[in-house]
Amino acid sequence: MSLTLAQIAEYINGSVIGDANYSVSSVGTLSNADSSQLSFLSNPKYKKFLNQSRAGAIIVLKGMAQYVTTNAIEVDDPYVAYAKAASQLHPTEKKLPGIHPSASIDPSAKIGANVCIGANVVIEQAVIIEDDVVIGPGCVIEHDVIIRKAANLRPNVTLCFGVMIGERTIIHPGVVIGADGFGIANDNGHWIKVPQVGSVNIGNDVEIGANTTIDRGAIDDTVIADGVKLDNQIQIGHNVTIGKHSVIAGCTGIAGSTSIGEYCAIGGGTGMAGHINIASGVQLTGMSMVTKSINEAGIYSSGIPVEPAKQWHKNVIRYRQMDKLFDRVKQLEEKTKD
């Protein structure tokens, strides 16, 4: 697709500085884009590439066009504007409605209008699939699942029984929603399974990254609210609740019955203990370990950044000596009091 800068600027609410009739057909990075591509600058550390870029046009913050040697589009938020422009230049491929002959669909399933069902899909009894849903090849939809309008399941997604998927939700390959949570009880030294009888309720406009797993509730449902965005390879335990518009980066693990508020941002590799509450508006930096509730909005961190091994070993030794140091300080305080 090719668009003029005037067309793009109108869509992203920006102002063209340069040739408004100039056309671009795709997007590229500042360092690698050519004259047919659109680029952007949102991180100041890449400003040095502005006068070197061969991009046909660059989206920049208002007042930054003076540093651009080609066409520019000034906006309030370059990254958001880029996301919108890129969606216009690279629209999502639309699947044609239809059911592949290799799909296995139970007669009791209800299929809406304009639905696309790919090869080797399995749809069990009493499933409800609403209008404009896309189900990619190899998906398994167990009984009593509900998939709302315009949801998009990429290949090899598994929805276990009773799960509900909201409108316009995107689920990437390999996702498993509704598998049993980690429920076990110790019976005189032997582990026995605790039945997981809840389900999973996914809201509208959610996106779930590849190979992420969301466990069904033990009794009540696991709930992912509207607008939540989940990265790849996230583990969400049973009865977790995630509030509206929270975002979670890859390889995060959330233990059962934890509640996360709205508009939270959780960095990659974060580990969260079970049965805790995270307030709305909390940001956790990558590799944080959360073992207790966080009751106020703000930015929280834990963990130690990487450093040379020699210094790391010294720090470990000092850490192990902290108890002795604490005892010495305590003794000195007592002597001072005496």
Side-chain angles (χ1 to χ4, degrees):
M1 179 177 290
S2 181
L3 296 172
T4 67
L5 300 188
Q7 290 173 316
I8 294 172
E10 182 178 7
Y11 184 74
I12 65 176
N13 194 27
S15 300
V16 177
I17 310 298
D19 183 2
N21 293 318
Y22 191 93
S23 293
V24 290
S25 57
S26 62
V27 298
T29 62
L30 279 175
S31 56
N32 294 321
D34 62 35
S35 60
S36 68
Q37 294 182 300
L38 174 73
S39 192
F40 74 103
L41 174 71
S42 64
N43 190 327
K45 73 179 183 180
Y46 295 114
K47 182 181 175 182
K48 59 185 179 183
F49 295 117
L50 278 179
N51 60 4
Q52 305 169 19
S53 180
R54 293 181 292 109
I58 302 174
I59 297 172
V60 294
L61 189 67
K62 286 182 177 178
M64 291 286 290
Q66 60 182 311
Y67 302 106
V68 179
T69 58
T70 181
N71 300 301
I73 302 177
E74 289 189 335
V75 296
D76 291 326
D77 188 326
Y79 192 57
V80 171
Y82 163 75
K84 293 178 178 179
S87 69
Q88 293 296 299
L89 289 168
H90 300 270
T92 302
E93 179 186 3
K94 291 187 177 181
K95 300 288 186 179
L96 295 176
I99 299 174
H100 195 276
S102 65
S104 174
I105 303 176
D106 189 275
S108 65
K110 296 180 180 179
I111 311 296
N114 301 315
V115 169
C116 176
I117 298 176
N120 299 313
V121 169
V122 175
I123 298 175
E124 295 184 350
Q125 62 270 29
V127 167
I128 298 174
I129 299 174
E130 295 187 351
D131 298 348
D132 303 312
V133 167
V134 174
I135 300 178
C139 290
V140 176
I141 316 297
E142 292 189 348
H143 65 85
D144 295 291
V145 165
I146 299 174
I147 304 175
R148 299 296 187 193
K149 292 179 180 179
N152 189 322
L153 277 61
R154 305 290 166 79
N156 297 314
V157 169
T158 299
L159 303 182
C160 299
F161 68 92
V163 165
M164 187 169 76
I165 305 298
E167 296 180 4
R168 298 173 300 280
T169 285
I170 300 171
I171 306 177
H172 289 278
V175 168
V176 178
I177 300 177
D180 282 359
F182 192 52
I184 52 176
N186 194 304
D187 182 16
N188 297 314
H190 297 278
W191 293 107
I192 62 173
K193 184 176 180 62
V194 177
Q196 305 290 287
V197 300
S199 187
V200 181
N201 190 330
I202 308 291
N204 300 327
D205 301 300
V206 172
E207 186 161 0
I208 302 171
N211 293 320
T212 284
T213 54
I214 304 175
D215 293 343
R216 68 187 317 103
I219 300 176
D220 294 327
D221 293 346
T222 301
V223 177
I224 313 297
D226 294 350
V228 168
K229 309 298 182 185
L230 304 176
D231 198 359
N232 302 333
Q233 298 180 332
I234 294 171
Q235 159 61 19
I236 298 175
H238 56 190
N239 297 106
V240 166
T241 62
I242 301 177
K244 292 180 179 179
H245 306 292
S246 287
V247 294
I248 303 178
C251 297
T252 291
I254 305 171
S257 299
T258 284
S259 177
I260 298 172
E262 299 178 355
Y263 296 96
C264 291
I266 298 174
T270 293
M272 304 181 73
H275 302 274
I276 62 174
N277 296 312
I278 307 298
S280 294
V282 165
Q283 296 182 45
L284 297 170
T285 59
M287 302 298 290
S288 293
M289 181 63 200
V290 187
T291 59
K292 59 183 180 180
S293 294
I294 299 175
N295 299 317
E296 294 183 6
I299 302 174
Y300 297 81
S301 301
S302 68
I304 301 174
V306 68
E307 58 188 340
K310 187 175 181 180
Q311 184 62 45
W312 167 252
H313 289 305
K314 286 182 180 180
N315 290 341
V316 169
I317 291 170
R318 289 168 181 156
Y319 176 76
R320 291 174 177 169
Q321 294 171 339
M322 285 182 65
D323 278 346
K324 292 180 181 178
L325 178 62
F326 175 80
D327 290 339
R328 288 172 58 190
V329 171
K330 190 174 182 180
Q331 290 172 9
L332 287 171
E333 287 180 339
E334 290 175 351
K335 287 181 180 179
T336 301
K337 290 179 182 178
D338 293 339

